[in-house]
Amino acid sequence: QFGQLHVTQKHDAAGRVQMSNVQPLATYIATTLSADDVLLQPTGTADFDMDFIRSSLKLSVGNDAGDRFLTRSHQYHRYQPGVSMLIRMTMASGDPGKAGCSRRWSYYDDRDGLFFEQNGTVINVVMRSTTLDPGNIVEVRIPQSDWNENKMDGSTGKLNITGGTLDITKDNLYWIDFLWLGSGTVRFGMYHEGERIVLHSIHNTNKNLVSYMRTGSLPLSVEILNTTSTASSSELNAF
């Protein structure tokens, strides 16, 4: 045996081999954002700062219950039926997590969407829906310990083939891709040592009686909020 040849085909959420160039629908650069691009909405002692040294948008809250800072694109990015949508965001939390503070980022509004969440010290992926239980908001929340592709928790074996450990305080490039034709697969992932890896997949085909979300056309959102009073102030950086 003189050697080995490995042919790897990378597929999108629609099951297509990724051979074509990505067609950008919108790009947001943290240090050039303006009120024309995004909503910047503080509640309580929340605030934001353009951190030009780190080239990031820093969202912060104090330690009072109800403090919240939300930034959300005005644009709802139009989903093209049958085409996989890819969202990428670079984020870093200001600390490993604390009781009473939640941080969220990716592709969602107040009713539907797909996002990463740091709730206290637990890292989740979340699918939010107003269709699964009409009249109510349902959040399918999967903690890191239950991710079905790569847990990134420092363990070994097929559920952490990279052997890596996710450090939420470091600058990490997260991605979500999904197919929305009422049904379809949602994949949550990140980039690790130059490779795009899948952390968790939600398969909605042959499962629900209704569409898993109301729409595939949603805004980009980043927020930090105190659900209770906290021991100290908190930050979330978007790059």
Side-chain angles (χ1 to χ4, degrees), residues 32 91 103:
T32 62
M91 306 295 301
R103 299 163 236 220

Side-chain angles (χ1 to χ4, degrees), residues 2 10 25 41 50 78 96 99 107 109 116 145 159 177 208 238:
F2 296 157
K10 295 186 179 296
L25 295 180
Q41 186 179 75
M50 296 291 187
R78 186 170 181 81
Y107 192 66
D109 62 13
F116 290 90
S145 58
L159 286 180
D177 74 353
N208 303 315

